Amino acid sequence: MVEPTHRNRGSESTRKLIVETALRLFQERGYEATTMRAIAAEAGISVGNAYYYFASKEALIQAYYDRAQEKHEAACQEVLAGERTLEARLTGVLRAWVRVSEPYHEFAVKFFKHAAEPSNPLSPFSTDSSPSREASIAIYRKVVEGSTDRMDKELRAELPELLWLLSMGVVLYWVHDTSPESARTYRLIERTVPLVVRLVGLSHLPGLRGVTRDFLAAVHELRT
């Protein structure tokens, strides 16, 4: 393995400094009011240097998405290695997301209106967000593939993306959750996941396979 050079370590440190500074200013001043010039000044670097690392404020948010995704992946390793039921794996992954995201809760509340706009490149459904979105779906693919639960074969193939959509619902609830340490969001996860798992488990029963096929057909139609 190639050891990181001093220059590479310095570059990564500068990138991290810029992102942390930007997030703090977005939270303090608002996304619209924070300029790249202000971020550079607070970080103690030139404007040109800031633009060298990030072409725009949107690129800074995408960098935050990527870093948050990496933290989530790391936080999921233990539960994915140790649990085999779909309920335990899905619960653990969703709880891990809330845990690693909690330090940025206040920022997320103020920033959400931008990410919620369908045409905004910062939307989790946008083309610009596709790398972090696909990485997140990959986590839910691990949730499904490592599970010993019985389920319809076709549903198993579609389930990772459906679980990611479920996680977006959890994110929306979390953004508006004012309870201490996001207690209500954790409760939502505890109440919702067993219901989802029960529905998934019913999908392999002969009498419900037709309903499962109809549901998947609707999913495919809405996706196109």
Side-chain angles (χ1 to χ4, degrees):
M1 182 178 67
V2 178
E3 292 294 329
T5 65
H6 177 73
R7 176 176 294 181
N8 288 338
R9 289 194 296 268
S11 297
E12 184 56 34
S13 176
T14 302
R15 286 177 60 87
K16 182 178 180 181
L17 172 63
I18 296 171
V19 173
E20 290 290 352
T21 302
L23 292 178
R24 176 170 58 81
L25 293 181
F26 291 157
Q27 186 167 305
E28 293 174 357
R29 306 178 184 181
Y31 181 74
E32 299 96 333
T34 302
T35 64
M36 288 293 284
R37 182 175 296 278
I39 293 169
E42 285 287 323
I45 62 175
S46 69
V47 177
N49 203 19
Y51 276 110
Y52 173 79
Y53 288 99
F54 298 100
S56 64
K57 291 193 297 183
E58 288 79 7
L60 278 163
I61 296 299
Q62 293 298 341
Y64 161 69
Y65 285 169
D66 293 341
R67 192 177 63 179
Q69 182 59 37
E70 291 172 0
K71 289 184 177 181
H72 187 210
E73 289 177 9
C76 293
Q77 288 182 3
E78 183 176 353
V79 68
L80 292 178
E83 300 290 349
R84 286 293 170 262
T85 67
L86 181 60
E87 182 172 342
R89 292 169 72 83
L90 180 55
T91 298
V93 165
L94 290 173
R95 287 179 63 89
W97 184 89
V98 178
R99 188 168 64 252
V100 301
S101 301
E102 190 60 25
Y104 301 99
H105 195 178
E106 187 176 349
F107 162 71
V109 170
K110 295 182 178 180
F111 174 74
F112 177 74
K113 66 178 181 179
H114 301 284
E117 295 174 2
S119 60
N120 196 306
L122 300 178
S123 165
F125 298 92
S126 72
T127 300
D128 289 14
S129 298
S130 60
S132 58
R133 180 174 63 250
E134 292 303 321
S136 184
I137 292 174
I139 292 179
Y140 292 100
R141 186 168 294 110
K142 291 180 181 178
V143 168
V144 175
E145 291 177 350
S147 165
T148 56
D149 291 42
R150 294 182 63 189
M151 65 186 76
D152 179 82
K153 183 178 179 181
E154 290 187 25
L155 178 60
R156 180 179 288 273
E158 298 290 343
L159 196 55
E161 186 169 350
L162 296 174
L163 294 181
W164 175 76
L165 290 172
L166 170 67
S167 77
M168 290 295 98
V170 172
V171 171
L172 176 60
Y173 188 89
W174 172 77
V175 166
H176 294 88
D177 186 0
T178 58
S179 62
E181 299 180 343
S182 299
R184 290 176 182 168
T185 302
Y186 284 116
R187 184 59 177 160
L188 174 70
I189 293 169
E190 299 299 329
R191 295 297 299 270
T192 303
V193 170
L195 296 175
V196 171
V197 171
R198 286 173 62 186
L199 289 172
V200 170
L202 292 172
S203 66
H204 77 279
L205 299 177
L208 293 176
R209 285 176 182 166
V211 175
T212 302
R213 295 294 185 276
D214 290 343
F215 170 72
L216 293 176
V219 170
H220 293 156
E221 181 178 345
L222 292 171
R223 184 183 291 158
T224 57

